[in-house]
Amino acid sequence: RYCAKIRQRHRLLILLLSISAPLLAFFRVPTTSLPAVGILLGGFYGSPLGATVVGILSVLLPIGMGSAIDIGHLLGGAIAGAIGGIVSGRLRCREELALLGLAVGLAQGFVYLMVNLTLSAAAGPVWGVILGYAGLHALAGLAWSIVAIGLSPYLEHLFDVITPIRLAELSNPNRPLLKRLSREAPGTFQHTLFVATLAEAAARELKCNVELVRAGTLYHDIGKM
């Protein structure tokens, strides 16, 4: 029953993130949430799901919304979201996510610029206007990345999502519970660190979830306090 509740939470989270894009298009907001959707779903559930959801939304949005969404906005957000979805699933710290946010913003601005330059036959002042809008879209992509990074810790706890970044944070020896273990049972703590190192090496050779194995091993003797 507990596992069923967890699965329902995950489905609800995926649904909420997915419907954010058509809602913005419905209210004619001049940008899409696809970068944030890609980063969050890729980081939470892996690169395949993040990229797939962004791809499906990119196809369905122009079908369902018609002229309510601009092609430059859509393609820029779609490419940025796909990059975010593919890369975020491989990251292991929030500093790397911050760098990804810069890449997502630049990608969105560049794609918007290329699309509008291709569709526009004019030059001169019009080119300058398009360049300005491309800069705004780059900032929008960066802003969506910041929103995704800021929301991710709250969504992880609210929907009980276990991400590689969360596991890496739990494996920090300075976590309160592990610090308490080192004070109250120093022998057990040293044994735990040694076993965690062995388990991590074994998990890497076996192509298992290294972060999950290490975190689980670090806490496996916590009851000895």
Side-chain angles (χ1 to χ4, degrees), residues 7-92:
R7 286 194 294 269
Q8 290 175 359
R9 289 183 187 179
H10 292 180
R11 293 191 190 102
L12 177 61
L13 176 58
I14 295 170
L15 175 63
L16 290 175
L17 291 175
S18 298
I19 64 175
S20 65
L23 281 177
L24 290 176
F26 178 78
F27 289 107
R28 296 188 179 276
V29 177
T31 185
T32 70
S33 61
L34 293 177
V37 172
I39 290 174
L40 288 172
L41 290 182
F44 289 170
Y45 302 110
S47 300
L49 181 63
T52 299
V53 171
V54 169
I56 292 174
L57 289 174
S58 302
V59 173
L60 294 181
L61 279 175
I63 297 175
M65 307 306 296
S67 61
I69 186 167
D70 180 77
I71 185 65
H73 301 161
L74 177 63
L75 287 179
I79 297 299
I83 293 173
I86 292 170
V87 178
S88 63
R90 305 172 184 175
L91 303 184
R92 295 298 180 266

Side-chain angles (χ1 to χ4, degrees), residues 169-184:
E169 292 172 346
L170 288 172
S171 299
N172 187 342
N174 290 317
R175 297 288 295 189
L177 197 57
L178 293 178
K179 289 284 286 185
R180 182 183 163 197
L181 178 66
S182 68
R183 290 194 308 268
E184 299 182 14

Side-chain angles (χ1 to χ4, degrees), residues 187-204:
T188 298
F189 180 70
Q190 293 301 321
H191 158 76
T192 296
L193 293 179
F194 178 68
V195 174
T197 302
L198 292 177
E200 182 180 0
R204 186 171 287 107

Side-chain angles (χ1 to χ4, degrees), residues 193-216:
L193 293 179
F194 178 68
V195 174
T197 302
L198 292 177
E200 182 180 0
R204 186 171 287 107
E205 288 295 324
L206 295 171
K207 311 299 182 185
C208 298
N209 188 330
V210 176
E211 290 80 14
L212 180 61
V213 170
R214 179 170 178 80

Side-chain angles (χ1 to χ4, degrees), residues 88-102:
S88 63
R90 305 172 184 175
L91 303 184
R92 295 298 180 266
C93 68
R94 302 199 191 276
E95 288 81 3
E96 293 176 344
L97 274 177
L99 293 175
L100 173 61
L102 291 174

